[in-house]
Amino acid sequence: EAAGEALRYFAALRALRVTSLTVAHVAKHAGKETTPFGSVFWLNIARNVYEVKKVQAAGEDKIEVGLFHRKCNTGKLLRSQGFRLTFDGDATIHFSEVAVADVPEFENSLPVWQRLERCLQEMGSASARELATATGNTLAAVRQALKVGRDKRFRLLEGETWGLATKKDEDANPSPFPF
């Protein structure tokens, strides 16, 4: 797909001056990361990008849906969210929240920092190397997430051992940024 089509689409959408929702198929490629089908401009020009995934076993009366915020031009990425839709025999659909990390098929879709949080909740404390092994991420990705989240999400305990930060840690080291 040519970039021109995506550029014309977003120009026309912008001219409408209304909030919009664009739904796109994802490209099928061997990479771990999913992107909209066609030109890279479908991803690059969008202001917010969410990925929606579902899990449903054949014959089941429930669907689990994961909502993953992948891009935001005007603020911070939001935490991934999960929902369970349960279908009753009388055409009623019940919605409930579910922890994305509790759905095994969604776990690899979580950002590294969320996987680290989940892992540290279970383990209490661990080294970066242990966290990389437990989460299946590279050591470099784990170290970067720990560095970015230090004193906000994660706390260096002693030596090379990390744990979860507390509210007290965050208050003692406020962010230099007002947003």
Side-chain angles (χ1 to χ4, degrees):
E1 173 146 345
E5 293 175 15
L7 293 170
R8 284 190 299 279
Y9 172 81
F10 281 107
L13 197 56
R14 200 170 26 258
L16 295 174
R17 302 181 61 79
V18 296
T19 301
S20 64
L21 173 67
T22 299
V23 179
H25 269 285
V26 295
K28 294 181 182 178
H29 50 71
K32 184 175 149 183
E33 199 169 306
T34 55
T35 58
F37 177 76
S39 169
V40 69
F41 285 92
W42 290 106
L43 178 67
N44 292 347
I45 297 175
R47 292 187 181 141
N48 270 291
V49 175
Y50 286 87
E51 181 180 6
V52 180
K53 292 186 173 189
K54 81 163 189 160
V55 175
Q56 181 181 25
E60 286 281 325
D61 292 352
K62 69 176 181 178
I63 296 175
E64 291 172 322
V65 177
L67 184 62
F68 304 92
H69 197 193
R70 299 294 187 211
K71 176 186 173 188
C72 183
N73 286 356
T74 59
K76 63 182 179 178
L77 291 175
L78 301 175
R79 183 179 285 276
S80 300
Q81 298 180 357
F83 304 95
R84 180 173 292 128
L85 288 69
T86 307
F87 302 92
D88 285 346
D90 63 353
T92 303
I93 303 173
H94 300 278
F95 285 81
S96 58
E97 195 170 355
V98 64
V100 175
D102 289 342
V103 181
E105 293 86 351
F106 294 155
E107 190 171 5
N108 288 336
S109 297
L110 290 171
V112 175
W113 66 267
Q114 278 187 284
R115 287 191 248 173
L116 295 178
E117 274 187 345
R118 178 73 173 189
C119 197
L120 286 170
Q121 286 169 349
E122 294 172 2
M123 298 171 70
S125 64
S127 70
R129 189 171 304 282
E130 291 168 330
L131 290 168
T133 300
T135 60
N137 290 105
T138 65
L139 184 56
V142 168
R143 285 185 173 148
Q144 178 63 23
L146 291 170
K147 178 182 170 185
V148 170
R150 185 174 181 164
D151 298 327
K152 292 175 282 208
R153 292 189 176 97
F154 310 110
R155 177 171 61 130
L156 187 58
L157 301 175
E158 57 183 64
E160 294 185 20
T161 304
W162 291 85
L164 290 173
T166 63
K167 181 69 174 148
K168 181 178 158 188
D169 295 328
E170 190 175 335
D171 292 342
N173 298 293
S175 171
F177 304 106
F179 46 89

